[in-house]
Amino acid sequence: MSQAKPSPDSAGPVVMLRDVRLTYGSHVVLDEIGFSVSRGETMCVLGGSGVGKSTILKLILHLEEPDSGHVEVLGHDLETSGRAEIFEARQRMGMVFQGSALFDSLPIFDNVGFPLFEHTDLPLEEIRRRVREALSFVDLDYRRVESLLPSELSGGMKKRVAIARAIVHRPEILLFDEPTSGLDPITTRTIDNLIVKLRRELHVSSIVVTHDTRSACRIANRIALLQSGRIIFIGTPAEMLASDDAYVREYLE
Amino acid sequence: MSSSRASPIRWLNEALKAAAYRVQSYFGLLRRVLASAVTRPFYWRDLAQQMDTIGVASLGIVALTGLFTGMVLALQSSVEMKQFGATIYIGRLVGASAVRELGPVLTALMVAGRAGSGMAAQLGSMRITEQIDALSTLGVDPVRKLVTPRFLAALIMLPVLTVIMDVIAVGGGMLIAVVKLDLTATMYLRSVYQSLAQTGFIFRYIPIDVFGGLVKPLVFGGIIALTSCYYGMNTRGGTEGVGRATTQAVVSSSILILASDYFLTQLLIALLIE
């Protein structure tokens, strides 16, 4: 699989959050969140349940809007962008949801080909070729799965189909929400390897939200650790493992 | 002391704010649907699929409702009319009732119960399984892709279903008139025509009652689709939330249909008859 040509704004970070604050009523979900992700980098966001990890992905996709601060994606400040600009930015991203979020009324072929059917005028044969290429990339036998419905697949296969759908239109940024939750250790390892393979072969930037420390250390260039809506640590996996911070140590143990 | 006095006021304030927000987002959804109905891209295949789901799949239930409504109308009115030797006017009663009121309203209520609940449940399930978020992340506007085809399909199919319901209700009445009241089909149908013609014609050939009976389902179709999609798109709280959204969609659609029927009737009388 080849990657799309980088856009002219490829010099800076592909994703940047600055002083982001988000509240639901009186509950502070995220506070003073700031980090950036470079092209080809994998950033893992670690933290316990309910600390606002998945919300960060929603902010990057502009499914949520911050109360204050800025979210910049591929050079666009989403807070000042129009609807068309946001949809255009989303087309340059791919998202893998925690529950896979495959369209349950469509067979796998239509699920994976969905972004191509929606946004391109490619002939059916080319779409078929790209769908099969994406399914093969995630180690699925397209002959066996492309006519099946999502309900006929196992959890691990659904995750891989979701990854295939996220990469079929060759995005520049991939977002993963708990990609290994609920999976057995072997399937977890398969998904981790896929994320590493995506970075190595397609040079995409990834943000992976997870609570699995072992997975994060395997796949990440850098890790951000969240506690109560704030980033309390950001650094490489080696720096995290060597950290003296009490919460980091507690989380690792 | 002051806080206990203030709390009901605060509660009322919050409740009013929440209600105002819901009304605002309901009409916000309508605005987005109307805007996406006239701008590209159009989802023709989804529109055709929804016309099938809302229209063709509802034919059976609408036909049965029409048949039995017409039969009951004829049967019930015959008891009173026999006393005055006026059974010949059964057709007038069935025709006027079915075309003016019962046809549009019962069709809309049946579609709200059958297709509206389906819309709310399907969109609700898509919401809680993040499929609607997935659409957004794939650069597709969920309102344009999911709501607009349902809205347009309901606008198109409700008048068609209503005409079918009217015809079958009149047919059901005829069955009773011929079999139980010893009227001929010609006498009955002439009576139906007289009732429809008595309020006059619009565009020269269309009886005003029939025209009114086609305007109403247009509005009812919009109400059913918009209300069901609104609750479906705003589903929260897992599978229980889907059940709640479905119930709310059917109840709210039904109430809005009945309430708007009154105002539409007033408007149509003022515009077309008076």
Side-chain angles (χ1 to χ4, degrees), chain A residues 68-87:
Chain A
S68 60
H70 294 272
V71 180
E72 287 179 26
V73 177
L74 297 160
H76 299 287
D77 186 340
L78 298 184
E79 304 325 303
T80 55
S81 298
R83 193 185 288 270
E85 236 175 320
I86 289 165
F87 275 112

Side-chain angles (χ1 to χ4, degrees), chain B residues 160-172:
Chain B
V160 175
L161 287 172
T162 302
V163 169
I164 293 169
M165 164 84 103
D166 291 348
V167 170
I168 293 177
V170 168

Side-chain angles (χ1 to χ4, degrees), chain A residues 167-187:
Chain A
I167 62 174
V168 76
H169 61 298
R170 297 166 186 174
E172 293 160 64
I173 303 166
L174 277 173
L175 308 173
F176 295 85
D177 189 5
E178 302 278 8
T180 58
S181 73
L183 299 179
D184 63 80
I186 296 168
T187 314

Side-chain angles (χ1 to χ4, degrees), chain A residues 8 31 56 66 88-89 110 139 205 249 253:
Chain A
D31 197 15
I56 290 178
E88 193 252 312
D110 290 341
D139 299 326
S205 312
R249 298 272 12 124
E253 282 157 24

Side-chain angles (χ1 to χ4, degrees), chain B residues 51-167:
Chain B
M51 284 170 70
D52 181 58
T53 308
I54 296 168
V56 181
S58 302
L59 264 177
I61 193 171
V62 164
L64 279 175
T65 309
L67 180 71
F68 288 112
T69 304
M71 287 167 70
V72 165
L73 268 178
L75 203 58
Q76 282 284 13
S77 48
S78 71
V79 176
E80 297 297 320
M81 290 179 130
K82 254 185 192 165
Q83 294 177 21
F84 305 102
T87 48
I88 195 168
Y89 297 116
I90 289 280
R92 291 185 82 115
L93 200 139
V94 174
S97 310
V99 173
R100 280 184 203 162
E101 283 304 325
L102 293 176
V105 171
L106 286 180
T107 305
L109 291 176
M110 287 297 128
V111 173
R114 202 201 151 278
S117 60
M119 283 183 219
Q122 193 186 10
L123 297 187
S125 303
M126 288 183 76
R127 168 61 75 196
I128 64 160
T129 54
E130 296 181 307
Q131 291 177 55
I132 291 177
D133 286 341
L135 274 178
S136 299
T137 62
L138 291 165
V140 175
D141 180 357
V143 170
R144 187 183 287 277
K145 169 88 178 159
L146 299 174
V147 183
T148 305
R150 284 166 171 80
F151 182 80
L152 294 178
L155 287 193
I156 297 165
M157 294 316 291
L158 251 285
V160 175
L161 287 172
T162 302
V163 169
I164 293 169
M165 164 84 103
D166 291 348
V167 170

Side-chain angles (χ1 to χ4, degrees), chain A residues 42 50 55 63 68 94 98 100 103 133 163 178 204 210 226-227 236:
Chain A
T42 301
T55 311
L63 295 174
S68 60
Q98 185 171 2
S100 302
F103 304 123
E133 191 181 41
I163 294 173
E178 302 278 8
V204 287
T210 181
L226 250 66
Q227 186 195 17
T236 64

